Amino acid sequence: MNTKKALTVILTMALVLGVYGVAHAADTATQSVSFEVAEINEITVSGNPGTLVINAAAPGNDPAPATDSSTTYAITTNGNGKVITAAIDTPMPAGLTLKVKLDAQDVGASQGDVVLDATADPVVTGISKVAKKDLTITYTLSATAEAEAGSGSRTVTFTLTDAQ
């Protein structure tokens, strides 16, 4: 009987240790994951503003300016020391001045009303690591009495770049 008990104890221990060993057996594998974050510099506008119409003036004064704040811009950059510049494709006719002002809340420093010409001039400076949308663009068209009656259009190009 002792042999039978001893055999039972040995078999029970073998079973327990076997299950324990199977339950705790482990097999591992590893991988090395490489990553890279590229420099991101993106700017977009919401569309075109309405036509800026100058059609009134007080006697003895230049015509009243026309403004439009119906468009917005969005910006994403993970860089530092960025600037948004703006330029128009061709100069404005004599007597007309087109200005742009970009809202720069939580983005950088707006340069206020910037006169647009064919040279890219800063409109927002001090931009670093930001993702922001629905920022207002305001256009102002001013005329002197020398401005001829007529219509036209200009293409405004905004560029997000490194500060110079």
Side-chain angles (χ1 to χ4, degrees), residues 58-128:
N61 294 305
D62 284 329
T67 63
D68 182 286
S69 298
S70 65
T71 59
T72 61
Y73 73 101
I75 178 176
T76 298
T77 183
N78 60 357
N80 291 309
K82 301 297 180 178
V83 61
I84 299 172
T85 61
I88 52 177
D89 56 338
T90 57
M92 294 296 290
L96 288 177
T97 302
L98 181 60
K99 296 177 185 175
V100 68
K101 179 180 180 182
L102 272 61
D103 173 21
Q105 182 179 356
D106 300 326
V107 172
S110 174
Q111 300 304 294
D113 288 322
V114 175
V115 175
L116 293 171
D117 57 28
T119 303
D121 293 314
V123 292
V124 179
T125 59
I127 302 167
S128 293

Side-chain angles (χ1 to χ4, degrees), residues 7-23:
L7 185 59
T8 302
V9 169
I10 291 172
L11 287 175
T12 302
M13 286 180 64
L15 181 62
V16 168
L17 290 175
V19 169
Y20 178 80
V22 170

Side-chain angles (χ1 to χ4, degrees), residues 49-62:
T51 301
L52 299 169
V53 179
I54 294 180
N55 58 9
N61 294 305
D62 284 329

